[in-house]
Amino acid sequence: MAWTRQILRVDLTKGTCTSEALNMEWAMDYLGSRGLATKYLVEEIDPKVDPLSADNKLIMATGPMTGTIASTGGRYTVVTKGPLTGAIACSNSGGYFGAEMKFAGWDMVIFEGKSSKPVYLMIENDKVELRDASHLWGTSTWHTEEQIKKENQDPQIRISSIGKAGENQVLFSCVVNDLHRAAGRSGVGAVMGSKNLKAVAIRGTKGIGNVANPAEFQKVTTEKKQILAENAVTGEGLPTYGTQVLMNVINEMGALPTRNFKDVKFESANDISAEAMATPRETDGKAQLVTNQACFGCTIACGRISKIDKDHFSVQQKPQYHGASGGLEYEAAWALGAANGVKDLEALQYAQMVCNEHGFDPISFGATVGAVMEMYENGTLDEKKIGLKAPFGSAEALCELVEMTANGEGFGVEIGLGSKRLCEKYGQPELSMSVKGQEFPAYDPRGIQGMGLTYATSNRGACHLRSYTVASETLGIPVKTDPLVTEGKPGLVMAFQDATAAFDASGLCIFTSFAWGLGDIQPQIDAACEGDWSEEKLQEVGERIWNMEKLFNLEAGLTKEDDQLPTRLTTEAATEGPAKGLVAGVPEMLPEYYEIRGWDKDGVPSAEKRKSLGL
Amino acid sequence: MVYNTKLKATDLGTVKHLVIKIKRYVMQKSLYIDPEKCTGCLQCEMACSFEQTGVFNPSQSRIKVFNFEEEGRKVPYTCTQCDEAWCMQACPVDSIKLDATTGAKVVQDETCVGCKVCTISCPFGTINYVVETGKVAKCDLCGGDPACAKACPTDAITFVDANWTGLDKMRKWAAKANDASL
């Protein structure tokens, strides 16, 4: 079966924890994780709910493959209504926490209401209780993990928590597990903070002993691991360089958004690249990158473990940052670096560590700083207002602003609102590089046209993880398409969106899709789960999830206007590189996308489409 | 078979000794762990627990991966199958037996009484009590085909000639020995 068939409902208002049976009918239609948790959420909350009110719910959910021996089977998803976007929020994380939830016997945990005081949830298999977290409130995710393990005298507990950013309801705060893995986007951490829920701590020793066909499962998962091992991206590129392998590649394409998307190439891209991370520093002769690290069950191991230069200005006399810690991934290195014109690799690593420590999304944070720097340069903001000089390229400003945001001090409070609210407040809404209030990641849609439509239509706001057409437009996976044209992209985006939703719902990592298609995850799911899981069915599950999320957003009050890119990208052409002279062609792609989705001209799924998907 | 001429049938200690001698003519393999290659994915723990208990359950794995976060080091650790095995010597009911083919010291579940003396005597902590079964559990080399080594995606855990666990390291240094550039 692979599902534990048990879910845990935690009423934070009443302080109760109750077990209930998983709705297996829904499991058959939505598979798990992203799909199943979203189904529960849309059935249980009013889409118009204030995301930070007690009426919102927050769900942590695993998929049927989570906690199995399938490669990358360690993912869990945090689903809620997002405070940054007002849309569905659905953030996925690796590490070890998700598998531990399964081992303890739970497919998902639903949090509802609001606790009157800070609490954390302790799960030891069937024994579940809410415990006082007053002593943890105001502390970092790192301290919270250490303290919970210490006071329970159990180093094997796995923990997911919020830092000060989540407590302060920074609108892009995240939920951090295993020190440096995060359900990173859309402000899911702020929802946890609004409920006075500091952490979830789990020790699971039951394991998963109910896969449907163990012999077949062992055989097929072993075969599929071999495909990952032999693939150039998953077998070599990602383990050696991490996602940072992209920095120079995307820059060469003229698709590396620089200085708040004013430019499409960063002259110092090489200084913040994977290659730079692996090069010994002049100062101490050591490379920043120490090693790679896997999440639970992952045979790719793309994670970066880095050590900062302890003489760097940002960490002098701060020994807590001198040890090895989660290192720079591509999106973070871009947002903290190129998006602000900052080329100091050590400063980027420092900012990354503070984001992990206090729990906020480096993409939204970095991109918001980019908008702040642009407003500083155009005179809208000044040193007095910000509290420091903040021109593009200032590593000092980046490091100070990351601390101010973490601690909720001074101008950091305003950065914590995200770029959309910040730019609106200062009368320059067009400078927020976001869709639905969520900041773009690291691909310029003028140079990679499919990503423009990806950002515009992503149900959780601008995001690269909903349809990573970069794979096709840059790497030729599964087929090579021209990144500079819009023709055929609506269909490509739709196919990626639906397949990604199915991957996410299974509990596997989307990074496997560089080597695997639905046809590769299908036999693994089929061997593990009861029911008949064909490729067509997975395709349909993906499409159903996508439409369900869209319908939630429409009911929440979002419209076609929320599927648009900022005017900079649709009116200001790229100034250099292969995309020179091009703008993002979203306006011409969007009608076609709606049409092939079976949605009307306003992006509303037709009655026929809803019926065919059972929505 | 020269040993027969020297053997007194009643000398039990000598017989034990000779059994060990005989086993030494059989080529044995040993788990060889290279922590530098470990990514911390826990495939070994999953494979071990599934082989031993039929359940994917790292908490029942006889190999454990330790993550030294501050240094970024991951280290898989399990029983080294000591020749003079302290656990075996300490067992008061003789429930840990030598598998002469593999060299593994194997817990006999039928007779183990769960007294835990072996867990105290083992200097390395690699034999542990299991509450769920009331017995102790340790690595038994899966009867000569260890699941952890097969599952490891990076060759951090390999199963190699027990007499030559140093071979890879020797090769690495040997490669440098003749290199004029060094």
Side-chain angles (χ1 to χ4, degrees), chain A residues 386-437:
Chain A
I386 304 173
L388 49 96
K389 291 190 176 71
F392 279 124
S394 172
E396 291 78 7
L398 175 74
C399 294
E400 281 202 49
L401 291 172
V402 81
E403 290 171 11
M404 288 159 72
T405 306
N407 295 320
E409 291 165 358
F411 196 72
V413 176
E414 301 197 28
I415 290 179
L417 297 171
S419 66
K420 179 168 178 272
R421 290 166 179 81
L422 185 74
C423 292
E424 275 170 3
K425 179 173 176 182
Y426 291 101
Q428 307 217 313
E430 70 281 4
L431 294 187
S432 168
M433 295 298 120
S434 62
V435 173
K436 300 181 181 67

Side-chain angles (χ1 to χ4, degrees), chain B residues 85-107:
Chain B
W86 295 41
C87 60
M88 195 158 77
Q89 304 287 353
C91 179
V93 291
D94 211 12
S95 277
I96 300 175
K97 305 275 195 202
L98 168 73
D99 178 333
T101 315
T102 63
K105 312 302 175 293
V106 183
V107 177

Side-chain angles (χ1 to χ4, degrees), chain B residues 38-171:
Chain B
C38 178
T39 64
C41 74
L42 307 193
Q43 282 279 335
C44 56
E45 295 193 16
M46 294 288 276
C48 175
S49 59
F50 188 76
E51 175 75 23
Q52 298 289 345
T53 67
V55 179
F56 296 118
N57 191 0
S59 74
Q60 297 284 331
S61 172
R62 289 103 193 262
I63 185 164
K64 294 299 283 182
V65 178
F66 293 87
N67 192 341
F68 300 92
E69 294 278 353
E70 287 277 299
E71 296 120 57
R73 270 192 326 130
K74 282 80 66 179
V75 183
Y77 203 82
T78 190
C79 174
T80 62
Q81 315 294 347
C82 313
D83 264 17
E84 298 284 333
W86 295 41
C87 60
M88 195 158 77
Q89 304 287 353
C91 179
V93 291
D94 211 12
S95 277
I96 300 175
K97 305 275 195 202
L98 168 73
D99 178 333
T101 315
T102 63
K105 312 302 175 293
V106 183
V107 177
Q108 311 295 306
D109 279 353
E110 307 75 35
T111 49
C112 172
V113 295
C115 73
K116 313 176 193 69
V117 172
C118 55
T119 68
I120 300 164
S121 63
C122 173
F124 308 107
T126 53
I127 184 162
N128 286 282
Y129 181 64
V130 181
V131 175
E132 289 81 353
T133 61
K135 316 277 179 192
V136 293
K138 68 182 287 296
C139 170
D140 61 3
L141 296 176
C142 298
D145 189 17
C148 56
K150 280 192 290 188
C152 180
T154 60
D155 285 343
I157 307 167
T158 49
F159 195 50
V160 303
D161 183 344
N163 283 2
W164 288 102
T165 52
L167 199 67
D168 266 358
K169 267 190 207 159
M170 285 172 78
R171 184 183 291 113

Side-chain angles (χ1 to χ4, degrees), chain A residues 19 140 167 270 545:
Chain A
S19 153
S140 71
E167 293 175 11
N270 196 48
I545 292 169

